[in-house]
Amino acid sequence: MSSEVLFFSGAAVVLLAVAVMLGRMLAKRRRWRLLPLVVTLAAAVLVLTVITGPLGVRSLAVLLAASLWGAVLLATVFLVRRSHSRLASMVGGIGAVIAIQAAMVAFVVTRFSAAEAPREYALLWLPAAMTGAVRNLGEPGSGVETPLWVRISQDAGPLPLSVVLLSGFAVAYAARRLSLARAADVQG
């Protein structure tokens, strides 16, 4: 692995840890309803990604990706609230990964044709866009000078990193609220 891949991977892990800690800390201090919280997070992803890039087909792809991410994340947060304490972390982690992958796959499928971005490499699009760790995405050598992983990264802009961070925040918030509510029930 190159040093830039390690740097971007490490930066993403550190930022995710900060987002999770922020979610846990705010869960103790604030009591937000989960539906407005997830809708606000999805709107933030949408606005941030659309503002930072060109409009057009990319905006449709971002809208679809943010909507799908928000829907899957909302379902995950509701499952976390209904799960047992020990199971909630696992459900939240798996659901967050599914939401993040769904957003990235929806973005690339909407933005690029099947000839440009072969669909069998769909699970590699997120690491390729975020860190450049995956560079062979099966694209044909049809005279395109810029590799697919670079085009995905440029077109997606802050979408991959923002959905990762906000997923970590939302799941940590929901899991912490669950544990605080159960602790209050036991004490009261």
Side-chain angles (χ1 to χ4, degrees):
M1 264 196 214
S2 69
S3 60
E4 68 182 21
V5 169
L6 288 175
F7 172 76
F8 286 120
S9 300
V13 168
V14 168
L15 289 173
L16 178 61
V18 168
V20 167
M21 286 189 310
L22 184 63
R24 290 180 56 80
M25 183 182 72
L26 287 177
K28 286 171 109 174
R29 298 185 179 174
R30 304 260 187 246
R31 186 171 182 163
W32 293 321
R33 303 204 63 117
L34 291 175
L35 180 62
L37 175 67
V38 172
V39 169
T40 303
L41 294 178
V45 167
L46 180 66
V47 168
L48 178 66
T49 309
V50 169
I51 286 175
T52 60
L55 300 176
V57 176
R58 182 176 178 275
S59 296
L60 176 64
V62 169
L63 177 64
L64 178 65
S67 300
L68 184 61
W69 171 77
V72 174
L73 188 65
L74 184 61
T76 298
V77 166
F78 281 129
L79 285 174
V80 166
R81 285 183 54 195
R82 306 244 184 261
S83 299
H84 188 271
S85 297
R86 294 174 197 231
L87 187 61
S89 298
M90 188 171 67
V91 167
I94 292 170
V97 168
I98 291 170
I100 294 164
Q101 282 291 352
M104 197 65 200
V105 168
F107 176 81
V108 175
V109 165
T110 307
R111 182 71 178 97
F112 298 98
S113 70
E116 291 176 303
R119 305 309 191 222
E120 60 266 15
Y121 293 90
L123 293 179
L124 299 176
W125 293 335
L126 180 67
M130 283 188 66
T131 65
V134 180
R135 296 179 185 219
N136 180 13
L137 296 175
E139 72 266 23
S142 61
V144 178
E145 292 179 18
T146 308
L148 177 62
W149 71 272
V150 172
R151 288 184 288 149
I152 291 173
S153 180
Q154 289 172 345
D155 282 0
L159 177 71
L161 185 60
S162 59
V163 297
V164 167
L165 298 180
L166 294 176
S167 295
F169 172 82
V171 169
Y173 179 87
R176 183 67 175 162
R177 288 296 317 155
L178 172 71
S179 66
L180 290 172
R182 291 216 171 122
D185 287 343
V186 169
Q187 290 178 356

